[in-house]
Amino acid sequence: MTLRPQARLTTAFAWWMSGVLLFAPSAGAQGSASAPAKDPLPAWYEGDSKRAIVAFVQKVTQPGGEGFVPAAERIAVFDNDGTLWAEQPMYTQLFFALDRVKALAPLHPEWKSQEPFASLLKDDVKAALAGGERGLFEILMATHAGMTSEEFERIVKDWLAVAKHPVTKRPYTEMVYEPMLELLTYLRANDFKTYVVSGGGVDFMRPWTEAVYGIPPEQVVGSMIQMKFELRDGRAVLVRLPEAEFVDDKAGKPIGIQRHIGRRPIAAFGNSDGDLEMLQWTASGAGSRLCLLVHHTDAAREWAYDRTSSIGRLDKALDEAKARAWTVVSMRDDWKTIYPVAK
Amino acid sequence: MTLRPQARLTTAFAWWMSGVLLFAPSAGAQGSASAPAKDPLPAWYEGDSKRAIVAFVQKVTQPGGEGFVPAAERIAVFDNDGTLWAEQPMYTQLFFALDRVKALAPLHPEWKSQEPFASLLKDDVKAALAGGERGLFEILMATHAGMTSEEFERIVKDWLAVAKHPVTKRPYTEMVYEPMLELLTYLRANDFKTYVVSGGGVDFMRPWTEAVYGIPPEQVVGSMIQMKFELRDGRAVLVRLPEAEFVDDKAGKPIGIQRHIGRRPIAAFGNSDGDLEMLQWTASGAGSRLCLLVHHTDAAREWAYDRTSSIGRLDKALDEAKARAWTVVSMRDDWKTIYPVAK
């Protein structure tokens, strides 16, 4: 994986300030259940982005129309970090890994004097990650491997049940974008099959995507580590090994899609250069296509970042979106609400 | 892949004789459409196998029952070669590869003097494969790589439209087992999601599984070769590379299932030792389970082979099935019909 987390979490004062604003009451944030029957996307302002989405769905579902696509071929793929849920100040999966290092530390006394763990245990994330991808890889393998697939699923669920985002103090599974939840529901109501296609770990996402996005485990594509089949007292288990298997990012995304789905999507949703090849792959099919980028333009309600961000950099893909007339959503201007109202 | 084809096709006289018998009229072969409403499996004789299947389905679908399984978790996985369609005298995918060698030979004058191709072009399959897996790998890579994913799909479809089984002279897609087609339909009618999980190439199967089995491309798990993302004149393609990526056989099957589906199946269907780990993985979950082996016992209507066959060997898995009381289907005694009636 090519996660490049930003520096010290403790420098997040600006984010905290923006986070406070998230709790201001906002109109229209009650979810699609209370929406007028005619508007499937009530959290979206009327504008070019919403019009492009609705026009696309109407076109591909119009029987006999020139843009019609049979239901079985209505495949829609969504990046996760920064497209369906927040990715700042750091990918959620990395927060998970850091918490796991602390939880596992008593079993690893050697970590007190061994980088990157020693710095992590002193809450110095910047120093821990100074070694680049090698240190990150060690953190991920130490926390994501060595257990069975079922044990890992339980660990993820238990963590998500209590973990809170450092800025908003909300559970991570509430740091999802209400307008995108509406979009998922709208597409499924029109017989689309919706997939997550993320650089994040597939086994980190599957335990919660069904409850949060309505996307079942078998429709999640992501990065993978190696596994080994074993019989333990006659019972079959899969043991997670500390070796990378597949990185579902950049050119890996269309490959992951082809391996897993075997059909070219007709709609793709991303937010960063890591999604560019997925959008190109989607755009290059015949017939009706929708390619959409979420542009993080809302420093007040979420975060504002694009061409120079170390997380979720959006640079080449933004240029290509403009050149190809893909839909670029401005979070500030297109979305009435960002997160669902707290329950 | 670990395909170990049997020897010369021209020695298939015995198979030819059995093939002739396939065209004898057989009762109850009209498919499930003409079946009494009460019997979802008309091509199955009443007996332990059919009773075990029906009892399992009733148990997992009985709301409030102790064996109830929610619809979303009703995952059923089927091996392909020898379980859903015939695998004798040689895997169909290998017939495809041999035909492709001949079709491509004009572009490869060097093959005339280069093994394994030289022998193949003289119809001496035995000599061509005398070198073991290395020769087989070269044949597979020469015929399955070097084109885009879309070009390969077209090649497979074009071949299947004209290719005929050497014994029965029927299209390969009619060499499927009518009782298993009924079983697929029966399970789906009870809200199961049905998957193919095969040692065969995923991209060789996906072009036809929907039409033949009612299983869409995204529910096919199989062996894979590597791919590369490319832009050609601005259009995104995936190019198939002559390198193995994943072998979906033996211990690879549960790994392929976990990677692709992310849920442990509750029902698994196989016919050989290559399916043993998939059945063990399925059997080891909590709650109601159905593990079933198709035993090729019908030399008159199909083929009879098990413990010593080079293709579809059923030895260890047969012992384990008996020890664990899994369901073992005898094709001769449990199935009224083998193949669908010719259209």
Side-chain angles (χ1 to χ4, degrees):
Chain A
M1 290 195 255
T2 56
L3 315 179
R4 267 168 295 165
Q6 290 183 350
R8 297 287 294 267
L9 306 186
T10 45
T11 64
F13 179 71
W15 292 311
W16 167 253
M17 285 303 293
S18 65
V20 171
L21 296 175
L22 297 174
F23 292 99
S26 71
Q30 301 300 320
S32 46
S34 65
K38 288 275 163 55
D39 186 358
L41 301 171
W44 294 68
Y45 287 114
E46 302 304 320
D48 289 347
S49 295
K50 182 172 177 172
R51 274 190 292 272
I53 293 167
V54 172
F56 169 76
V57 171
Q58 290 177 343
K59 186 167 64 170
V60 301
T61 56
Q62 179 67 50
E66 63 169 339
F68 180 76
V69 177
E73 294 168 24
R74 292 180 204 156
I75 303 288
V77 289
F78 289 80
D79 169 60
N80 186 40
D81 295 299
T83 299
L84 293 178
W85 76 354
E87 62 185 349
Q88 302 287 0
M90 195 167 76
Y91 295 122
T92 303
Q93 191 169 358
L94 200 45
F95 283 119
F96 165 77
L98 303 190
D99 281 355
R100 290 301 299 161
V101 166
K102 290 181 186 174
L104 292 166
L107 301 172
H108 294 275
E110 74 279 11
W111 284 356
K112 278 185 193 143
S113 58
Q114 183 188 318
E115 293 297 351
F117 305 102
S119 293
L120 272 192
L121 295 174
K122 285 177 256 170
D123 276 327
D124 190 346
V125 178
K126 186 176 182 178
L129 298 174
E133 292 195 8
R134 180 71 217 162
L136 178 60
F137 183 78
E138 281 189 35
I139 293 166
L140 289 174
M141 293 304 114
T143 54
H144 286 66
M147 69 294 281
T148 70
S149 58
E150 285 152 327
E151 289 163 353
F152 186 72
E153 180 180 344
R154 172 50 48 203
I155 290 167
V156 171
K157 283 182 172 169
D158 288 349
W159 180 79
L160 279 173
V162 298
K164 297 283 198 299
H165 188 277
V167 176
T168 66
K169 308 301 178 195
R170 294 182 72 169
Y172 288 100
T173 48
E174 292 182 12
M175 299 286 289
V176 296
Y177 305 132
E178 175 73 9
M180 298 303 283
L181 298 182
E182 290 178 358
L183 179 53
L184 286 166
T185 300
Y186 176 46
L187 291 175
R188 288 194 292 261
N190 283 280
D191 292 330
F192 279 75
K193 199 176 254 191
T194 53
Y195 284 82
V196 170
V197 177
S198 169
V202 68
D203 294 318
F204 178 74
M205 297 183 285
R206 282 174 166 163
W208 53 270
T209 53
E210 182 140 37
V212 176
Y213 301 143
I215 294 178
E218 60 267 29
Q219 285 163 226
V220 180
V221 182
S223 295
M224 299 187 290
I225 64 176
Q226 293 182 18
M227 289 184 287
K228 191 175 79 169
F229 177 84
E230 265 184 27
L231 289 176
R232 291 185 175 174
D233 297 328
R235 184 169 182 272
V237 297
L238 291 172
V239 182
R240 297 169 58 82
L241 303 178
E243 297 293 337
E245 169 68 36
F246 177 67
V247 178
D248 190 55
D249 196 28
K250 303 184 190 296
K253 288 205 173 190
I255 291 171
I257 289 168
Q258 180 64 16
R259 284 188 191 174
H260 194 104
I261 308 175
R263 303 190 202 253
R264 199 189 285 249
I266 66 166
F269 306 86
N271 78 298
S272 79
D273 285 358
D275 303 314
L276 176 56
E277 288 86 350
M278 175 170 82
L279 271 67
Q280 290 171 326
W281 174 243
T282 301
S284 297
S288 308
R289 303 281 144 172
L290 177 64
C291 291
L292 183 150
L293 283 173
V294 173
H295 191 185
H296 292 262
T297 52
D298 198 328
R301 296 185 300 171
E302 206 242 6
W303 285 270
Y305 57 97
D306 48 29
R307 295 186 187 273
T308 60
S309 176
S310 61
I311 293 182
R313 175 170 300 162
L314 176 62
D315 184 35
K316 278 173 60 184
L318 193 55
D319 292 337
E320 183 138 347
K322 287 173 180 172
R324 293 190 181 224
W326 291 344
T327 298
V328 179
V329 168
S330 166
M331 291 178 74
R332 184 189 56 206
D333 305 320
D334 282 319
W335 288 0
K336 293 180 190 169
T337 55
I338 304 290
Y339 305 118
V341 287
K343 280 152 201 155
Chain B
M1 288 196 258
T2 56
L3 314 179
R4 266 169 297 167
Q6 289 182 350
R8 296 287 294 267
L9 306 187
T10 45
T11 65
F13 180 72
W15 292 310
W16 167 251
M17 286 303 293
S18 67
V20 172
L21 295 175
L22 296 175
F23 293 98
S26 71
Q30 301 300 319
S32 47
S34 65
K38 288 275 164 55
D39 186 359
L41 301 171
W44 294 68
Y45 287 113
E46 301 305 320
D48 289 347
S49 295
K50 181 171 178 173
R51 275 191 291 273
I53 293 168
V54 172
F56 169 76
V57 170
Q58 289 176 343
K59 185 166 64 169
V60 302
T61 56
Q62 179 67 48
E66 63 168 342
F68 180 75
V69 176
E73 293 168 24
R74 292 180 204 156
I75 303 289
V77 289
F78 289 79
D79 170 59
N80 186 40
D81 295 299
T83 299
L84 293 178
W85 76 355
E87 63 184 350
Q88 300 288 0
M90 194 167 75
Y91 295 122
T92 303
Q93 191 170 358
L94 200 46
F95 284 118
F96 165 76
L98 302 189
D99 281 354
R100 289 301 299 160
V101 166
K102 290 181 186 172
L104 292 167
L107 300 172
H108 293 276
E110 75 279 11
W111 283 356
K112 278 185 193 144
S113 57
Q114 182 187 319
E115 292 298 347
F117 305 102
S119 293
L120 272 192
L121 294 175
K122 284 178 256 168
D123 276 328
D124 190 345
V125 177
K126 188 175 180 177
L129 298 175
E133 293 196 7
R134 179 70 218 163
L136 177 61
F137 184 78
E138 281 188 38
I139 293 166
L140 289 174
M141 292 304 115
T143 53
H144 287 65
M147 69 295 281
T148 69
S149 58
E150 285 151 325
E151 288 162 353
F152 185 71
E153 180 180 342
R154 171 51 46 203
I155 290 167
V156 172
K157 283 183 172 169
D158 288 349
W159 180 79
L160 279 173
V162 297
K164 297 282 199 300
H165 189 277
V167 177
T168 66
K169 309 301 179 195
R170 293 181 72 169
Y172 289 100
T173 48
E174 292 181 13
M175 299 284 289
V176 296
Y177 305 133
E178 175 74 7
M180 298 303 283
L181 298 182
E182 290 178 358
L183 179 52
L184 286 166
T185 301
Y186 176 47
L187 291 175
R188 287 194 293 261
N190 283 280
D191 293 330
F192 279 74
K193 199 177 251 189
T194 53
Y195 284 81
V196 170
V197 177
S198 169
V202 68
D203 294 318
F204 177 74
M205 297 183 284
R206 282 173 166 163
W208 52 270
T209 54
E210 184 141 35
V212 176
Y213 300 143
I215 294 179
E218 59 268 30
Q219 286 164 225
V220 180
V221 182
S223 295
M224 299 187 290
I225 62 175
Q226 293 182 18
M227 289 183 286
K228 190 176 79 168
F229 177 84
E230 264 183 29
L231 289 176
R232 291 186 175 172
D233 297 328
R235 184 169 182 273
V237 297
L238 290 172
V239 182
R240 296 169 58 82
L241 303 177
E243 297 292 336
E245 169 68 34
F246 177 66
V247 178
D248 190 56
D249 196 28
K250 302 185 191 293
K253 288 205 174 190
I255 291 171
I257 289 168
Q258 181 63 16
R259 283 188 190 173
H260 193 105
I261 307 175
R263 303 191 203 251
R264 198 188 285 250
I266 66 166
F269 306 87
N271 77 300
S272 80
D273 285 358
D275 303 314
L276 176 57
E277 288 86 350
M278 176 170 83
L279 271 68
Q280 290 172 326
W281 174 242
T282 301
S284 297
S288 308
R289 303 281 144 172
L290 177 64
C291 291
L292 184 150
L293 283 173
V294 173
H295 191 185
H296 291 263
T297 52
D298 198 328
R301 295 184 301 171
E302 204 242 6
W303 286 271
Y305 58 97
D306 48 30
R307 294 185 188 274
T308 60
S309 176
S310 60
I311 292 182
R313 175 171 301 162
L314 176 63
D315 185 33
K316 279 173 60 183
L318 193 56
D319 291 337
E320 183 139 345
K322 288 174 180 172
R324 294 192 181 222
W326 291 343
T327 298
V328 179
V329 168
S330 165
M331 290 178 74
R332 185 190 55 206
D333 305 319
D334 282 321
W335 288 0
K336 293 182 192 168
T337 55
I338 305 289
Y339 304 118
V341 289
K343 281 151 200 157

